[in-house]
Amino acid sequence: MNTGYDDVAADMPRLSLLFFAPECVNKSILEAYDLYLEHLYRTNRFDVTIMAPNGSPFAEKARANGAQMHPVSDFSRKLLQRTPQLWPILTATRRYRFDVALAHDSYGCRGLAQIARRVIGVSHNDQFDGFQTAQKVIALTSGASETGREILEEAVPLEVLPYPYALQFSEPVDLAPDDEPLTIGTSGPFIDGDGLGTFIHAAQLLHQSHPETRFVIVGSGPTEHELKELSDHIAPFIDFTGPLNATEMADLIDIYCLTDPEASYSLPLCEMMDAGVACVSTCANGPMDILKGGMVAPLVPINDAFLLAVQLQELLDDRPLIRRIKKACFERIREEDFDAGEFERRLISILLGHKIFASKLSDFFHQMMEPFPQPSVFTARLVNLSQLRREMPLSPLVVRVENIYFDLDQFFWHPTRMLFAAFLKGDFSMAFELPELPYAYDALGDFMSAETLEFHHDKHHLAYVTNGNNLLKDSGLEDKSLEEIVKESYGKNAGLFNNAAQHYNHVHFWKWMKPVAQEGGVPGALAAKIDSDLGGMDQFRADFINAGITQFGSGWAWLALVDGKLAVTKTPNGENPLVHGGIPLLGCDVWEHSYYIDYRNARPKYLEAWFDNLINWDYVAELLEAAS
């Protein structure tokens, strides 16, 4: 993919970059240091200097590889953390010695701002306190970025940039034959709070109904003795294998569970997906993005052994479902999100974005000085302007162009320039946005709990919005309406369609429900249409609930207008009547995350409660009137 950054950046001079790598014992974060450094060297666009504590494993490794080092003593490190204004003195570095600093920890940002013109922070563990003085912060996931925006109070732009993954497997491993028991496994660092205890409790529950199933825990670490004692007490059938590599794990495990409640990223999860192992995970930020909010593989609430056991039991009773999840996992890890080239391109755009944008803005400004163009030229110019607005790293009211400041509020007298100012100020956007709920989280009472709404709206719908915006870039559909994006991406761009369709579905889903306290029956025109087309309300209710019950796996039950008549339908995953020649009037989400917290696996009970108590019939009637 090329958005124009490569061509512009190739002509720019090399920049001096300070790579700030504080001491760390977390193996995955140390590997991330190496990952970032490898890609920075490979671009050949930066003169990299590494600032790291003396004696740290990363510093020793970098020095052995011949990297340019700027060591920091332990005494200086402690002083620097408390007195950022002393950074130029204590590091013997003149002010603004570096063009950009890449800070892999928040505590150094204030001090780095004394010796680098721009500071880009990287949050490897979903912690954002201290990054307030950075010019931009990189988060690993959309969920983490949302948390970061709340903590940073929208004062610092955030970019979502997941780690790339290097594929190890060329084809998926085989599932155990139907006449043989399956093996469910997990892995972890064996430290407090890693979720392995949740897996042990879930195995205890599941063993009662599936005693033939084998359970294994892979790895070793500080809490290994305590976990084995717990297992001996409540689940002595669990095998502890010790450390295994990816190939050995994939050959052993049929279903992989990630139970870490704070996983900002999980290499074992990626490795098992690469091997085509069916996966189940908690709803931590990393797995939420990796598994596309549950569209690829099931997600369960954090630290909930019961719901984990329920989900695993559903899989054990349905081998075709396991095979579909295996296929989905194998395909997902091969998407562009995990491509090393895409990671490098986006990293460069983040580090150089302000300079690249200034160059492109200068070119565009010269176009603005031309006379008012013909309509065709004007339209083409707007398309370019839309792309430029999305690339813009900041949204100032005053933009610097060729060392001259133009107040955009005064830049209004030319029609093209007026639109130009609107774009730069962010007054126009076609991007997906997460809507506010039209009622309080607890407004639906016992029929849909506040916990479900928070989980469903704030996590799942947000994931569709964030992933959809990322996939919308360079799709050719950027300036289309949401409905047009859904229709035109169907069958052509699976990733974009899945997220855009689910965004469309959920925008209406929240409106299809009303607070319990709000009265209201079926409006007359709608009731008459139901009587004539569907045989009356009782028959419609039975057909609609049956559609939801019989929808195999995740999906939706629908009331749609097709060729002028009402019809009850069902669709898998995120599909909706729009892509099948219909107009959606009412839809009920039967993905597990919509009802598991409140109804466990009782989907029929959920559908009955939803139909009888939550439907906003006035909104259904409005859609029918608009469609007619």
Side-chain angles (χ1 to χ4, degrees), residues 332-494:
R332 166 61 176 152
I333 200 67
R334 284 157 175 77
E335 293 181 4
E336 189 178 61
D337 294 0
F338 305 93
D339 179 68
E342 175 67 5
F343 171 85
E344 187 172 299
R345 185 198 69 80
R346 291 191 57 207
L347 176 61
I348 297 308
S349 73
I350 292 170
L351 294 174
L352 300 182
H354 67 301
K355 290 183 174 293
I356 295 171
F357 176 79
S359 174
K360 298 175 81 171
L361 184 60
S362 175
D363 293 341
F364 197 89
F365 174 77
H366 286 296
Q367 293 181 7
M368 293 297 104
M369 301 308 293
E370 298 173 1
F372 190 75
Q374 295 297 316
S376 61
V377 177
F378 180 70
T379 300
R381 198 169 285 177
L382 283 182
V383 172
N384 292 336
L385 187 56
S386 174
Q387 175 64 25
L388 185 63
R389 177 67 185 87
R390 281 190 296 275
E391 294 173 2
M392 187 176 181
L394 299 173
S395 300
L397 293 180
V398 179
V399 177
R400 183 172 181 171
V401 182
E402 293 187 330
N403 299 318
I404 304 174
Y405 284 86
F406 291 89
D407 187 340
L408 295 180
D409 287 328
Q410 303 299 320
F411 196 46
F412 64 88
W413 51 272
H414 191 295
T416 312
R417 297 170 195 170
M418 183 170 64
L419 286 168
F420 179 49
F423 269 88
L424 291 176
K425 290 191 289 185
D427 296 337
F428 181 80
S429 174
M430 294 297 289
F432 303 158
E433 295 182 1
L434 182 69
E436 295 279 345
L437 285 175
Y439 31 72
Y441 285 105
D442 61 356
L444 305 185
D446 295 335
F447 305 113
M448 186 173 290
S449 66
E451 183 182 2
T452 291
L453 276 177
E454 290 172 0
F455 181 64
H456 197 167
H457 175 270
D458 299 356
K459 293 287 187 180
H460 286 278
H461 193 173
L462 175 63
Y464 301 137
V465 168
T466 304
N467 293 332
N469 281 327
N470 290 333
L471 293 165
L472 185 61
K473 297 175 183 177
D474 309 308
S475 66
L477 302 175
E478 294 92 330
D479 299 313
K480 302 287 188 180
S481 69
L482 175 58
E483 185 172 320
E484 290 171 326
I485 292 169
V486 171
K487 290 179 179 178
E488 296 185 29
S489 63
Y490 180 62
K492 300 174 184 176
N493 185 333

Side-chain angles (χ1 to χ4, degrees), residues 600-615:
R600 300 309 187 216
N601 61 340
R603 184 188 288 186
K605 184 178 178 182
Y606 156 69
L607 283 160
E608 292 169 358
W610 190 88
F611 191 98
D612 294 339
N613 300 282
L614 295 182
I615 295 178

Side-chain angles (χ1 to χ4, degrees), residues 169-224:
F169 297 84
S170 58
E171 58 185 19
V173 296
D174 294 329
L175 186 67
D178 290 347
D179 59 349
E180 294 184 10
L182 298 178
T183 299
I184 300 175
T186 188
S187 63
F190 286 76
I191 58 176
D192 289 335
D194 60 8
L196 294 180
T198 301
F199 178 82
I200 293 174
H201 284 283
Q204 176 200 19
L205 295 172
L206 195 57
H207 184 69
Q208 299 172 27
S209 58
H210 292 77
E212 75 287 353
T213 301
R214 182 187 178 194
F215 295 87
V216 299
I217 298 180
V218 177
S220 62
T223 62
E224 184 173 355

Side-chain angles (χ1 to χ4, degrees), residues 82-104:
R82 292 170 173 78
T83 54
Q85 65 273 18
L86 296 180
W87 273 63
I89 299 173
L90 293 175
T91 62
T93 305
R94 70 176 187 274
R95 286 179 63 83
Y96 303 137
R97 154 72 177 79
F98 299 96
D99 293 306
V100 60
L102 192 63
H104 294 272

Side-chain angles (χ1 to χ4, degrees), residues 23 53-54 72-79:
E23 188 165 9
N54 284 329
V72 179
S73 68
D74 186 62
F75 174 73
S76 295
R77 179 178 62 82
K78 293 177 180 178
L79 278 178

Side-chain angles (χ1 to χ4, degrees), residues 128 141-160 462 466:
F128 294 91
T141 63
S142 57
S145 71
E146 189 67 18
T147 301
R149 289 187 180 94
E150 293 177 3
I151 293 174
L152 301 176
E153 299 180 341
E154 303 285 349
V156 182
L158 278 94
E159 291 274 354
V160 179
L462 175 63
T466 304

